[in-house]
Amino acid sequence: MGELRRAWLPAGIVVLTALVAWLGPPLQESLSGLRTVGPTAVLVTAAGLAWWFNRGRSFVIAVSLLAAFAASLAWPGKPVYTVLTVLMPLNALLAMISAERGARHGAGWRWLALLALEAVLVNWIGRGPLSGGGEMFEHWALRSPPTPLVGRLAFAAAFAAAVCWRAWPDFTPLQVGNAGAIAAFFIATEWARLPNIFAAFMAAAGAILIAALLQESHRLAFRDELTGLPGRRALDERLRSLPGRYAVAMVDVDHFKKFNDTHGHHIGDQVLKLVGARLAEVGGGGIAYRYGGEEFSVLFPHSELAEAFPHLEELRTSIEKYRMAVRSESRPKKADVGVKQRGETTPGKTLSVTVSVGVAQPGGDSLRTPAQVLRAADEALYRAKQGGRNRVSR
């Protein structure tokens, strides 16, 4: 359920937009221009951030939203509206089923070429013989507004791909935001007859993408991608905010280089994931961090060394006793598929690892700053290594 918390922000934006749009006071005539300028500015910002952060799927969704909003202002008739409710979710669906290759360089220009072709089509429909409608747009599958059946099917496919294929099971902020933007656009198209509501939810879609892009940027900056633990930058920031009472431990995987050379880097990555997962379960209020390479840190805020020591010893023992089943190259990455296959295949080899730990706390003139305490923990780690490894030293 923890991963689902990442859906709270986009859901909150949608709910807040609904409350303001339906229950808030009507927009004053002097501010009516905000219906155009507001969503446009938000969507341009979302597209710019996606381009800057090189996030292809979010870029496609943001530019498609921006183009749809601009086209709806230029040609407010039924034909263009119907085409937009189909093209935008189809673009999102295509982005979801395509590999993430970024927004810049070759991949981004291909997306822009596709969007330019769609713009030509929409322009032809808006200015050409179909601009006044016709029998084609009275067909039951294209009848609108609200969203025609074809558009609803495209929305359902795009949203399902965004949630079930891309967001599940990790629910990273960006993937959740992509799904939220698609949902916000669907709500906008359902209320296209009301300009205030349509504009509000178009702005909401852009706001969801902006928030998701910023969250994703923060996550990549402060969280280690391999282990899922907070990274060294997160540790440094937390240490700066702590009072004088805390303990910090440095944890190092024993003989990791030799282990890596013997079994290969892909097995080494599995070892780091294993150690990271065990460290994340540390008791005593400890918080685990990936420090770099095969080194980790465990911070015990508001605890002294004597209080943290038994939890570190328990952690060391649990890692020592754990037997890791080596993941082969062909083993499924999804846990549920792997569980089903375990009974069908010959058990593979198992490996075990140990860790050495050094722990320190502030005290005296030589251990005042976080940097000094970390250095002391590192020296304690060195003593643990010199003492035979697989031990906790202070």
Side-chain angles (χ1 to χ4, degrees):
M1 293 298 292
E3 291 81 0
L4 293 178
R5 293 177 182 174
R6 299 190 179 110
W8 291 359
L9 182 57
I13 292 175
V14 169
V15 171
L16 180 61
T17 302
L19 292 174
V20 172
W22 277 296
L23 302 179
L27 195 64
Q28 296 179 10
E29 189 63 30
S30 60
L31 300 176
S32 60
L34 289 177
R35 286 200 300 260
T36 301
V37 176
T40 301
V42 174
L43 291 170
V44 167
T45 302
L49 283 176
W51 178 270
W52 182 260
F53 292 148
N54 200 29
R55 292 294 177 263
R57 296 191 185 102
S58 298
F59 177 72
V60 171
I61 294 174
V63 174
S64 297
L65 288 168
L66 178 61
F69 185 67
S72 68
L73 295 175
W75 302 290
K78 179 189 295 186
V80 170
Y81 164 83
T82 302
V83 172
L84 294 177
T85 60
V86 176
L87 285 181
M88 189 279 160
L90 286 181
N91 287 344
L93 177 61
L94 184 60
M96 290 302 127
I97 65 177
S98 302
E100 175 62 82
R101 301 186 185 279
R104 291 177 284 187
H105 314 300
W109 294 115
R110 286 193 291 272
W111 282 115
L112 288 176
L114 173 62
L115 293 170
L117 289 175
E118 293 177 355
V120 172
L121 172 64
V122 172
N123 181 71
W124 177 76
I125 293 175
R127 296 176 179 273
L130 296 177
S131 59
E135 293 184 2
M136 181 180 72
F137 294 101
E138 295 302 325
H139 189 277
W140 61 270
L142 294 174
R143 192 177 297 122
S144 65
T147 314
L149 176 61
V150 174
R152 293 187 180 194
L153 292 175
F155 271 116
F159 186 76
V163 174
C164 303
W165 193 353
R166 293 304 177 187
W168 184 272
D170 297 324
F171 288 102
T172 62
L174 193 58
Q175 303 298 2
V176 173
N178 289 338
I182 295 171
F185 181 64
F186 175 74
I187 298 173
T189 59
E190 286 290 291
W191 295 87
R193 287 193 180 100
L194 301 176
N196 285 351
I197 295 180
F198 179 75
F201 278 99
M202 292 298 291
I208 288 171
L209 285 177
I210 292 173
L213 286 161
L214 294 177
Q215 281 184 305
E216 184 75 0
S217 176
H218 181 276
R219 184 182 73 89
L220 293 176
F222 287 87
R223 190 164 292 273
D224 176 59
E225 193 73 14
L226 179 65
T227 62
L229 295 176
R232 182 171 178 174
R233 183 178 298 180
L235 172 64
D236 291 340
E237 287 209 353
R238 185 63 191 274
L239 283 171
R240 286 198 295 267
S241 66
L242 285 175
R245 185 170 178 265
Y246 65 89
V248 62
M250 295 297 293
V251 183
D252 188 84
V253 181
D254 294 330
H255 302 295
F256 182 74
K257 185 179 184 304
K258 181 179 178 180
F259 193 97
N260 228 8
D261 294 340
T262 302
H263 300 285
H265 290 285
H266 68 288
I267 302 297
D269 285 347
Q270 291 182 47
V271 170
L272 293 177
K273 289 180 181 179
L274 159 70
V275 174
R278 291 283 155 173
L279 290 174
E281 298 174 355
V282 63
I287 306 169
Y289 298 83
R290 172 87 182 276
Y291 196 75
E294 67 269 29
E295 276 194 318
F296 298 82
S297 296
V298 181
L299 177 64
F300 292 88
H302 316 295
S303 297
E304 297 192 358
L305 190 152
E307 298 171 297
F309 197 91
H311 297 288
L312 292 170
E313 184 61 40
E314 181 181 351
L315 189 65
R316 181 201 62 78
T317 303
S318 71
I319 295 174
E320 178 187 19
K321 292 181 177 180
Y322 189 82
R323 295 296 178 265
M324 184 185 77
V326 176
R327 182 188 291 273
S328 67
E329 296 285 346
S330 59
R331 180 180 170 184
K333 293 186 181 298
K334 292 186 176 180
D336 55 344
V337 179
V339 169
K340 292 179 181 178
Q341 293 186 1
R342 282 173 194 162
E344 304 171 5
T345 57
T346 303
K349 61 181 179 179
T350 60
L351 300 171
S352 62
V353 296
T354 61
V355 295
S356 299
V357 184
V359 59
Q361 67 179 10
D365 293 337
S366 61
L367 293 176
R368 286 185 175 180
T369 67
Q372 292 172 331
V373 178
L374 278 173
R375 191 178 306 116
D378 208 41
E379 292 170 356
L381 172 62
Y382 178 77
R383 291 193 293 272
K385 293 281 189 182
Q386 292 296 104
R389 294 184 170 84
N390 189 25
R391 64 190 61 207
V392 182
S393 179
R394 65 180 81 188

